Amino acid sequence: MPWTDETAAAVALPHRNAWASLTRGFTGRCPHCGQGKLFGAFLKVTDRCEACDEDFSHQRADDFPAYLVILIVGHILVPIALFVETEFSPSYPVQLAVWLPLALVLSLALLQPVKGAIVGLQWALRMHGFGVLPDADAMPGQEH
Ligand SMILES: [Zn+2]
């Protein structure tokens, strides 16, 4: 990778706590300040934080939240379904009536938090244009 002025600027930027940003995003809060809302609708990330004016237009979660949700829900439900099948062998209609709604509800419940966590992580790692400039609150004497 060529060493450019942008690389040098990125290296000199202050550290962002990835875990804190990830958990703030998971709870639907701004990964920067933890106060403003991250989502304007179910899966629509707001343009800017209402509290600290952080620009969220750099987020590129794309299909990754859906991929992760499938991975997580599969790892939760498949072992349980296998256990129930080997121990109790319920009829197929009963299994369909349990596992399909459960998979749907779990997926819908996890989609927004997982997307928020990914956007928070992208912010903390300064991906896709997040934080090319130093954080305003990290620079003494400079306002937002
Ligand atoms: Zn904020």
Side-chain angles (χ1 to χ4, degrees), residues 30-36 49-54 56:
C30 167
H32 183 194
C33 69
Q35 302 299 313
C49 174
E50 62 197 8
C52 71
D53 206 37
E54 181 69 39
F56 295 132

Side-chain angles (χ1 to χ4, degrees), residues 43-54:
L43 291 177
K44 175 91 173 86
V45 176
T46 55
D47 292 334
R48 289 188 168 276
C49 174
E50 62 197 8
C52 71
D53 206 37
E54 181 69 39

Side-chain angles (χ1 to χ4, degrees), residues 22-142:
L22 191 147
T23 53
R24 285 170 176 170
F26 190 84
T27 56
R29 294 288 154 191
C30 167
H32 183 194
C33 69
Q35 302 299 313
K37 290 179 187 166
L38 184 57
F39 292 96
F42 179 51
L43 291 177
K44 175 91 173 86
V45 176
T46 55
D47 292 334
R48 289 188 168 276
C49 174
E50 62 197 8
C52 71
D53 206 37
E54 181 69 39
D55 182 5
F56 295 132
S57 66
H58 306 296
Q59 70 87 12
R60 298 286 182 274
D62 297 334
D63 293 340
F64 192 45
Y67 170 80
L68 268 186
V69 165
I70 291 168
L71 192 76
I72 294 166
V73 170
H75 278 79
I76 293 171
L77 288 188
V78 168
I80 298 172
L82 287 174
F83 173 78
V84 168
E85 172 60 27
T86 54
E87 293 297 316
F88 307 106
S89 296
S91 68
Y92 290 138
V94 168
Q95 294 206 44
L96 282 175
V98 171
W99 302 125
L100 288 183
L102 206 54
L104 186 69
V105 167
L106 259 179
S107 299
L108 290 176
L110 280 172
L111 209 45
Q112 191 191 64
V114 167
K115 182 169 183 174
I118 290 167
V119 172
L121 196 61
Q122 289 178 342
W123 179 84
L125 299 178
R126 302 177 188 278
M127 296 171 71
H128 315 296
F130 271 129
V132 172
L133 298 172
D135 300 336
D137 55 4
M139 298 173 63
Q142 188 171 359

